[in-house]
Amino acid sequence: MGLFSRHPAPRDAITSVAQAVQTPPKSLWADGFGRLAVRALQIIVVVILVAGLIWGIQQVTLVIIPLILALIFASAFGPVTMWMRRKGVPAVLATLLTLLAVVVVLGALGWLVVNAVVDQWPKLSSQAVQGFQQAQDWYHTLPFAISQDQVNGLIQGVQDFVTSSQFGSGALAGVSAVASFVTGFVLMVVILFFFLKDGPRMWEFVLRPFRGDHYDRARRIGDKTVTVLGSYMRGTASVAAVDAIGIYIGLLILQVPLALPLAVLVFLLAFIPIVGAVTAGILAALVALVTNGPIVALIVVGVVVLVNQLEGNFLQPVLMGRTMKLHSFVVLVVLAGGTAIGGILGTLLAVPLTAVVWGIVSVWNGTDAPAEWARRKKRKNPVPLAGGESKG
């Protein structure tokens, strides 16, 4: 049977040849490497979009930052305003009373800090000079020599920088930063007033385009955002107040100067998780070292560590609850990223915004139904834990 045979080919052979001809070639994107390339392109597009969003936010920080801060403060103080309105207080009056209470508290704290610094400044400055002289006497006993010429060169370098044009331009930049801060603060107060007064109505207006399941999801997202931000602010403020009071009592007992300003600084830095407590402890120990000596400084470090341990193991789980279910590693990474992107404000806002994002994920498909990819998976072969238990 040759190529030009008169006998027809079997039907099965014709069918197999036709199928072979009609089968399209395998796509280059269908294998494992192709799927990896598609996923890489998707990741690149997402990164570009996120970078563009961050760049756009940085261009309008004068509006975005006051808006975010006003939302956080409104979530924290909103229950007070709503309580007064339920008691029959008009909306405008309840909002003004809330804002007035916040201003009075912050103003009182500022006055106490400034008054304490002014009263104790002469004593602190004289003790600082004595501490500096003691440090000079101490470095002369070191095994390596620090010559007086090196010290004079360092002092001359500082003087040259202060008298240079670069320092002048930096001062002008500082004046511009102060002006921007005042503008942003006024804008934040105005936005906060409207959030406290008409927040629910404004949110209902935003939800008008949504229908059905999308409306329910958007409402869950809004409620979760307000709950997380409010719980974070109130819980952190409570924990920070306990930290500040504990360290203030310790500094008073040890007779460390500037105890009140240091306690207020502890309160403020407590809003930066992990890093803030360490920074506050270092500053308090340095003041004690300069004014009271190394023994008192070590005791101050012990007091700070003790207060932080009590706060982390007892107060924070009770007051914060499930609001901040973020691993310490995640908190550190988020703090580093927020600082790199937004400086001090980025450090302050990174953790609560991350908690909001995780809260939104946790209610994406329902009140207690996270998004599919974020649900805890059950393992077929549980990993044995200590004590013979297993984790499924």
Side-chain angles (χ1 to χ4, degrees):
M1 183 181 297
L3 180 62
F4 300 99
S5 174
R6 295 181 180 180
H7 298 285
R11 184 176 298 274
D12 294 340
I14 296 175
T15 303
S16 61
V17 172
Q19 290 177 351
V21 173
Q22 292 175 0
T23 302
K26 189 175 182 179
S27 174
L28 294 175
W29 303 98
D31 59 356
F33 188 77
R35 290 192 295 271
L36 176 62
V38 172
R39 188 66 64 190
L41 289 175
Q42 292 173 342
I43 293 174
I44 291 173
V45 171
V46 171
V47 170
I48 292 175
L49 291 177
V50 172
L53 179 62
I54 294 174
W55 179 84
I57 291 175
Q58 289 178 339
Q59 304 308 308
V60 289
T61 52
L62 192 59
V63 178
I64 297 297
I65 297 301
L67 183 65
I68 295 176
L69 292 176
L71 177 61
I72 294 176
F73 287 122
S75 301
F77 301 126
V80 178
T81 305
M82 297 304 297
W83 177 81
M84 286 190 290
R85 293 176 65 174
R86 285 194 298 268
K87 296 297 182 180
V89 181
V92 176
L93 182 59
T95 304
L96 290 176
L97 288 176
T98 304
L99 291 176
L100 182 61
V102 174
V103 171
V104 168
V105 171
L106 294 179
L109 286 176
W111 179 81
L112 289 174
V113 171
V114 172
N115 188 49
V117 172
V118 171
D119 289 343
Q120 299 183 16
W121 183 255
K123 179 181 178 181
L124 181 66
S125 60
S126 61
Q127 290 177 336
V129 171
Q130 294 177 0
F132 182 73
Q133 292 175 350
Q134 292 175 358
Q136 284 183 321
D137 296 336
W138 172 73
Y139 81 73
H140 284 303
T141 63
L142 295 176
F144 53 89
I146 301 177
S147 64
Q148 188 64 33
D149 294 337
Q150 292 175 327
V151 176
N152 294 334
L154 179 61
I155 297 175
Q156 185 64 37
V158 174
Q159 292 176 349
D160 293 341
F161 172 74
V162 171
T163 57
S164 65
S165 60
Q166 183 180 0
F167 181 81
S169 61
L172 293 177
V175 173
S176 177
V178 170
S180 298
F181 172 79
V182 173
T183 304
F185 179 78
V186 173
L187 182 60
M188 186 203 71
V189 172
V190 174
I191 297 175
L192 178 59
F193 173 82
F194 286 109
F195 276 174
L196 291 174
K197 178 178 176 294
D198 300 320
R201 293 171 55 189
M202 296 168 67
W203 182 239
E204 285 294 337
F205 177 80
V206 173
L207 295 180
R208 284 184 182 181
F210 298 96
R211 296 290 184 273
D213 293 338
H214 298 289
Y215 175 83
D216 295 337
R217 176 175 293 169
R219 177 166 286 280
R220 287 196 306 270
I221 290 174
D223 294 341
K224 191 66 175 180
T225 299
V226 173
T227 301
V228 170
L229 291 178
S231 300
Y232 174 80
M233 281 295 296
R234 291 188 294 269
T236 305
S238 301
V239 172
V242 173
D243 286 352
I245 292 173
I247 293 176
Y248 176 66
I249 294 174
L251 295 178
L252 284 181
I253 294 174
L254 296 173
Q255 297 182 353
V256 177
L258 299 180
L260 182 61
L262 287 173
V264 174
L265 187 63
V266 169
F267 176 82
L268 295 177
L269 291 177
F271 285 87
I272 305 176
I274 301 175
V275 180
V278 176
T279 305
I282 292 174
L283 292 176
L286 287 176
V287 173
L289 177 64
V290 171
T291 58
N292 298 76
I295 303 299
V296 176
L298 290 176
I299 298 176
V300 169
V301 171
V303 170
V304 172
V305 171
L306 177 62
V307 171
N308 287 330
Q309 288 299 315
L310 292 175
E311 166 253 312
N313 295 324
F314 295 99
L315 290 177
Q316 203 165 33
V318 174
L319 296 177
M320 303 292 286
R322 297 182 58 86
T323 302
M324 285 295 297
K325 284 295 182 181
L326 298 177
H327 195 275
S328 300
F329 174 76
V330 176
V331 172
L332 288 174
V333 172
V334 167
L335 285 175
T339 305
I341 295 174
I344 297 177
L345 282 175
T347 305
L348 293 173
L349 298 178
V351 176
L353 293 182
T354 303
V356 167
V357 172
W358 182 244
I360 292 173
V361 171
S362 65
V363 297
W364 187 256
N365 289 330
T367 304
D368 295 319
E372 292 289 341
W373 59 268
R375 294 182 181 179
R376 189 184 298 273
K377 305 299 187 297
K378 293 184 178 181
R379 298 178 181 178
K380 295 182 179 179
N381 298 320
V383 179
L385 299 178
E389 299 178 356
S390 60
K391 184 177 180 180

